[in-house]
Amino acid sequence: MNTAQDWIARNGDVWAARWRDTDRALSGLESPLHSAILEVAPDVGRAFEIGCGAGSTTEQLALARPELAIIACDLSAAL
């Protein structure tokens, strides 16, 4: 099990360095994940994404909901 400290340091740094590889590896989950997010995301207003990683879900939500202000955060400063 990873701790917050792991993600702030080593794990977050590794994930940040290889985010393209990780996104590619998880690409089969992309469509159902984005569909699920769009089902519950408001059209306008504000949204907050916790644990955004490299930001692919944030980016897709922003493209689909241009009137929505999105704040995204992650424990890893590198991400």
Side-chain angles (χ1 to χ4, degrees):
M1 177 128 247
N2 294 316
T3 67
Q5 279 304 119
D6 294 331
W7 283 105
I8 290 169
R10 181 180 48 88
N11 289 356
D13 292 345
V14 170
W15 193 284
R18 308 232 16 225
W19 71 268
R20 287 178 185 89
D21 296 332
T22 304
D23 279 5
R24 210 172 7 262
L26 298 173
S27 65
L29 300 174
E30 187 174 89
S31 181
L33 175 62
H34 293 162
S35 293
I37 291 169
L38 288 175
E39 281 184 33
V40 298
D43 291 330
V44 297
R46 293 185 282 183
F48 185 59
E49 182 178 4
I50 300 170
C52 65
S56 64
T57 54
T58 310
E59 180 180 33
Q60 290 300 312
L61 180 57
L63 291 171
R65 300 283 198 277
E67 299 297 319
L68 185 62
I70 306 165
I71 298 172
C73 70
D74 199 278
L75 285 173
S76 168
L79 287 166

